[in-house]
Amino acid sequence: MTYFNKTLLVSALALACGQTMAAGFQLNSQSATGIGRAFAGDAVIADNASVLARNPAAMAMFDKAALSLGMTYADIDVKVKDVQAAGMPLDFGSEHDAADAKFIPNFYYIRPLSDKLTFGMAAFSNFGTGTDTTALANNAVTIPGLGTVPAPVDLLGNTEVTTVNLNTSLSYRFDEHLSIGAGIDIIYGQGKLSREGTLPLGPNGALVNAKLVDVDADGWALGGIVGLVYEFNAEHRIGASYRLSPEFTASGDINVFNTQAMANVSFDEIAIPMPDIFQVAGFHQLSDSFALHYTAQYTSWGDFKEITVKDGSLPNGMAVGNAQLKHYAWDNSWLFSIGGTYKLNADWSLRAGYMHDQGVVDQLSSLSIPDSDRNWYTVGTTFALDKQSSVDFGLAFVRGEDVEVHEMSALIGEVIAHTRSNAVYYSMQYSRSF
């Protein structure tokens, strides 16, 4: 006897595909200075060109051309522990290293065109993720005298998403107090997904390797950002920005195994709605040596309602059409950060910050999306190489929470596991004015 629901396998494949790019978590890695202060005030401080990632209006505060380029190394620690079938004494194991470390580069250039108009361009990333629980997908469990229960292959596997945001912006200064800005985002995204493991699809229920999902897709999308800055005086200012994110459409190899036809269904496109981002920030120079800054940011993850695939077909040419792969019930989220900068002397500045970042997953949790509230504890420094150039270093410790995940596998029913996601960010940046 084999505990396995073959008739629900098609639904399981849909769930797996639905997780292809579901973990499109927002990245906070756009600059070393930002990391060092937990991105507090990052939309309005404008101490180097990386402010372009947060608010194009802040370019109006530059009276010289400015360049910033940097690299962030994200050491991600994701654990998926004690994957079990609910109501049965079945343990499919744990994965204590479910994510790889990543290098995340960035580039910013700002050039004043006149005393009113400023131009900027940038390359950075706002979204990305990567988890791999493939090692658990072959851990079928045999119950003496009863049979074999396969691992929930539809919930386990490799999921990777990478995005690059290419931005071009302009700012306009009305007077000594008010500036506005707007920009266009050209976004490149790439996603890979595999769901492969041993399932009882062979003769008499024999375990055989089955590739349920194999996706390697990429595409381009167009978004935008608007912002404003209000300067009360040289020591106090506030700013706000709104980034409009598109529905992202990717094409490539999008293959889903169909047990009714015993063949792969190939889809032309996969559509993923992305959230908008709104933030407000403030900066206050309280003394010659110390400044306080803060940010509140809202991300409309509630817009992330479903993932769909389009224009499917079987190998014989029979059209399958479009399909909703998975429905989500994510929450909109806030993050709040506060930080301080201390000017130690003419060469050195020190900074630190704290951020609380709300998780987005509500009732529909997932093994491949180890999400929770996160707390950031950050420090950083700037060393002035000369009057025109500097080097920044940032260090962030990100701590998530232990989460008990309940997720339905269409293969074996409800699955329970425990997840936790932590990270350490190391960042370095070079800045120069011309």
Side-chain angles (χ1 to χ4, degrees):
M1 179 179 179
T2 301
Y3 288 92
F4 173 67
N5 194 337
K6 184 183 292 187
T7 62
L8 292 179
L9 183 55
V10 176
S11 297
L13 300 178
L15 291 173
C17 281
Q19 293 153 11
T20 306
M21 299 190 183
F25 287 148
Q26 185 177 341
L27 294 176
N28 285 300
S29 58
Q30 290 80 14
S31 69
T33 43
I35 285 177
R37 56 186 172 232
F39 296 95
D42 235 37
V44 76
I45 294 180
D47 45 1
N48 58 56
S50 66
V51 71
L52 185 52
R54 301 280 174 163
N55 188 356
M59 295 191 301
M61 290 184 283
F62 288 77
D63 56 9
K64 296 179 181 179
L67 170 73
S68 290
L69 52 93
M71 180 72 71
T72 296
Y73 177 76
D75 186 8
I76 311 297
D77 177 23
V78 175
K79 293 180 172 61
V80 180
K81 299 186 296 183
D82 303 323
V83 180
Q84 301 176 345
M88 290 188 286
L90 301 175
D91 192 328
F92 300 104
S94 301
E95 176 56 74
H96 295 282
D97 188 17
D100 293 329
K102 302 290 183 183
F103 285 98
I104 309 170
N106 57 74
F107 167 85
Y108 308 94
Y109 177 73
I110 293 174
R111 183 177 183 83
L113 302 178
S114 68
D115 59 349
K116 296 286 188 181
L117 198 64
T118 304
F119 167 80
M121 57 184 181
F124 55 95
S125 181
N126 277 326
F127 300 100
T129 189
T131 59
D132 192 351
T133 54
T134 304
L136 305 180
N138 294 318
N139 292 352
V141 177
T142 299
I143 304 175
L146 293 178
T148 300
V149 179
V153 177
D154 54 324
L155 307 183
L156 302 170
N158 181 53
T159 303
E160 184 175 352
V161 178
T162 303
T163 67
V164 178
N165 194 322
L166 305 176
N167 173 271
T168 300
S169 295
L170 287 172
S171 70
Y172 182 81
R173 177 178 285 280
F174 286 99
D175 54 35
E176 63 182 0
H177 299 295
L178 180 63
S179 302
I180 62 171
I184 295 173
D185 293 326
I186 300 174
I187 305 164
Y188 172 76
Q190 182 182 40
K192 295 182 179 181
L193 169 76
S194 63
R195 295 290 185 267
E196 181 177 4
T198 54
L199 292 174
L201 294 174
N204 300 317
L207 290 173
V208 296
N209 187 71
K211 182 175 289 188
L212 304 184
V213 178
D214 185 15
V215 173
D216 187 351
D218 65 354
W220 296 85
L222 192 65
I225 183 172
V226 294
L228 63 84
V229 169
Y230 189 84
E231 301 170 72
F232 299 98
N233 51 46
E235 287 76 35
H236 302 277
R237 53 188 177 269
I238 57 174
S241 67
Y242 188 93
R243 171 162 264 121
L244 178 66
S245 298
E247 177 176 275
F248 191 86
T249 300
S251 59
D253 297 325
I254 306 170
N255 300 308
V256 179
F257 186 74
N258 185 298
T259 56
Q260 295 175 339
M262 294 302 293
N264 283 324
V265 178
S266 296
F267 293 92
D268 290 343
E269 293 180 335
I270 183 168
I272 310 102
M274 302 303 292
D276 296 345
I277 303 169
F278 170 73
Q279 63 183 300
V280 294
F283 173 84
H284 306 283
Q285 189 74 45
L286 302 181
S287 69
D288 290 341
S289 58
F290 181 74
L292 178 72
H293 27 89
Y294 48 85
T295 288
Q297 179 174 289
Y298 175 85
T299 305
S300 64
W301 280 114
D303 294 337
F304 190 81
K305 295 179 180 179
E306 65 180 17
I307 288 183
T308 57
V309 287
K310 301 179 180 180
D311 301 326
S313 62
L314 291 166
N316 62 9
M318 180 181 295
V320 176
N322 302 340
Q324 181 193 85
L325 293 184
K326 188 173 176 66
H327 174 73
Y328 290 87
W330 284 16
D331 289 336
N332 298 322
S333 67
W334 283 93
L335 69 77
F336 304 94
S337 63
I338 187 168
T341 300
Y342 181 76
K343 189 173 180 60
L344 186 64
N345 53 44
D347 295 327
W348 289 95
S349 295
L350 309 176
R351 59 183 61 89
Y354 166 77
M355 179 198 297
H356 179 71
D357 187 8
Q358 294 179 342
V360 301
V361 175
D362 188 13
Q363 299 298 320
L364 301 180
S365 54
S366 173
L367 294 177
S368 62
I369 311 174
D371 187 42
S372 70
D373 290 354
R374 291 166 291 273
N375 293 297
W376 292 57
Y377 309 92
T378 75
V379 293
T381 185
T382 299
F383 176 69
L385 300 173
D386 52 46
K387 291 183 178 180
Q388 293 181 304
S389 59
S390 62
V391 178
D392 292 272
F393 302 92
L395 175 65
F397 298 92
V398 185
R399 293 296 175 260
E401 299 175 348
D402 292 320
V403 176
E404 184 174 273
V405 174
H406 293 256
E407 186 172 13
M408 288 301 299
S409 166
L411 303 179
I412 64 171
E414 184 180 9
V415 174
I416 301 174
H418 295 84
T419 65
R420 185 181 180 94
S421 179
N422 298 323
V424 181
Y425 288 81
Y426 308 87
S427 190
M428 181 177 178
Q429 177 180 324
Y430 172 78
S431 298
R432 183 175 178 84
S433 60
F434 302 90

